[in-house]
Amino acid sequence: MKNKLDIEAYLGSLPDNNDMKRDIVYKTEKRIKALCGNEPFHRLRRLNEAEWELLTTLINIREVALNELLAPTPYEVEVMGELNERLLKITDELYDRSLRMWKALNDSDLKPHLYNYLLEGCIDFERDGFDTVRTLDNDGWYGSDFTYMLWLLSEYQHQDYHCTDYLHDIVENFGVTEEEAKKDLSNFLDDGKTWAEGCYMTKPEFDDICFCYLMHAVCTHFNYSLPDVMHMDNFVIRVHLEYDKAFSNTRLQSGYYAEECDEYD
């Protein structure tokens, strides 16, 4: 029962008993801690293939069980709405900073060799301390150790080859015009239409929230349940330039580096 859809079908077939679902969350997290260790704040140890498959199944079970427990209260709707606005602003800042850095280099005296440069930007969640996980008024309803599990899920995300390294990332080179860069480095994904998807984000209690793309990505592209997302409190933006240039005499003599020859003079 590794497939998330199978897990959803199974949990959906159970009696509507919240105590049973909380028991599933508790027992699943207990098995995860037995497999991965009880103490966070360190790197997740390397697991063998069988252990990784077991961890994946346990994470999927927990995610679905927590989402099944979600019966949004006015307090949770408020938390979700405020977080959504925050994630939208963070996304806008990522694109704004990325475009500014692109223009700064494009207008600099390095321009003759801009084909060697690549601009990369990303947004990620970093669970690196107790103060990076929010405590909410109704945590007892879920019965989860959110502080531990957000560390575990962050580590899992960065080791799972099925996932991207970051919650959201962008890449731009310097072989485009400034107008093309402005188009690429704009938040075109958030156009005023909600990114709500699935039976949990589309609960009627959330109807007044226009979910941004980043919220959608966190809730649907990874293994964070909606209750997990509401506890996140340390999102980071990184924008950097990468300089990449290879050196090969054979390729130089063949003309492969024709555009770069002046750098060898």
Side-chain angles (χ1 to χ4, degrees):
M1 195 173 62
K2 298 173 185 176
N3 186 286
K4 193 179 294 186
L5 293 177
D6 292 339
I7 295 169
E8 288 178 356
Y10 170 71
L11 290 179
S13 69
L14 295 176
D16 191 14
N17 186 318
N18 290 322
D19 288 336
M20 182 182 295
K21 294 172 185 175
R22 271 188 289 270
D23 189 54
I24 290 173
V25 171
Y26 171 77
K27 290 181 178 177
T28 302
E29 291 187 5
K30 185 176 180 180
R31 292 192 66 187
I32 290 173
K33 291 178 179 180
L35 179 64
C36 301
N38 289 306
E39 294 299 325
F41 304 119
H42 55 77
R43 294 303 306 271
L44 177 64
R45 72 176 181 86
R46 286 291 176 181
L47 305 176
N48 61 42
E49 184 176 352
E51 291 173 326
W52 187 261
E53 289 184 0
L54 173 59
L55 177 60
T56 299
T57 299
L58 293 172
I59 285 175
N60 286 336
I61 291 172
R62 175 190 175 273
E63 178 190 356
V64 175
L66 281 172
N67 279 331
E68 285 289 319
L69 276 167
L70 178 65
T73 64
Y75 170 68
E76 288 179 311
V77 173
E78 181 181 355
V79 170
M80 205 68 168
E82 291 175 351
L83 178 60
N84 183 69
E85 291 181 8
R86 182 182 174 198
L87 293 184
L88 179 57
K89 290 179 181 178
I90 289 172
T91 305
D92 287 339
E93 181 171 344
L94 170 68
Y95 282 98
D96 177 68
R97 294 294 178 180
S98 297
L99 180 58
R100 290 188 187 193
M101 287 188 65
W102 187 94
K103 290 178 66 176
L105 183 64
N106 191 64
D107 296 339
S108 73
D109 58 2
L110 295 173
K111 190 169 184 176
H113 310 300
L114 290 181
Y115 45 78
N116 294 118
Y117 290 89
L118 188 69
L119 183 144
E120 297 178 305
C122 70
I123 301 173
D124 206 6
F125 167 75
E126 288 192 353
R127 156 64 171 85
D128 58 4
F130 289 104
D131 57 351
T132 61
V133 178
R134 296 182 62 180
T135 299
L136 302 181
D137 292 349
N138 61 338
D139 282 353
W141 171 257
Y142 297 101
S144 173
D145 184 350
F146 289 107
T147 299
Y148 176 91
M149 287 306 305
L150 281 175
W151 162 79
L152 187 282
L153 292 173
S154 178
E155 287 290 309
Y156 177 85
Q157 168 198 331
H158 289 98
Q159 289 193 27
D160 183 11
Y161 66 89
H162 292 106
C163 294
T164 58
D165 287 338
Y166 310 108
L167 300 180
H168 183 47
D169 59 353
I170 54 177
V171 177
E172 186 64 88
N173 60 41
F174 292 85
V176 298
T177 66
E178 184 169 328
E179 287 304 311
E180 290 173 318
K182 286 180 179 179
K183 182 178 179 180
D184 294 340
L185 298 176
S186 64
N187 186 10
F188 57 87
L189 292 171
D190 289 307
D191 58 1
K193 297 178 181 178
T194 185
W195 278 90
E197 183 178 294
C199 59
Y200 305 117
M201 293 185 75
T202 56
K203 285 179 177 288
E205 293 88 346
F206 295 138
D207 282 350
D208 291 335
I209 300 176
C210 181
F211 283 111
C212 67
Y213 173 78
L214 181 55
M215 178 69 85
H216 159 84
V218 179
C219 293
T220 62
H221 296 176
F222 302 92
N223 292 99
Y224 299 106
S225 68
L226 268 69
D228 287 321
V229 175
M230 286 188 281
H231 286 79
M232 291 179 168
D233 194 30
N234 191 41
F235 295 94
V236 296
I237 292 175
R238 291 191 177 89
V239 182
H240 63 270
L241 294 166
E242 176 181 312
Y243 178 79
D244 187 356
K245 180 179 177 182
F247 297 87
S248 165
N249 284 333
T250 301
R251 287 186 169 183
L252 178 63
Q253 293 169 6
S254 70
Y256 186 90
Y257 296 132
E259 295 180 337
E260 302 181 54
C261 286
D262 61 318
E263 293 193 26
Y264 288 85
D265 295 340

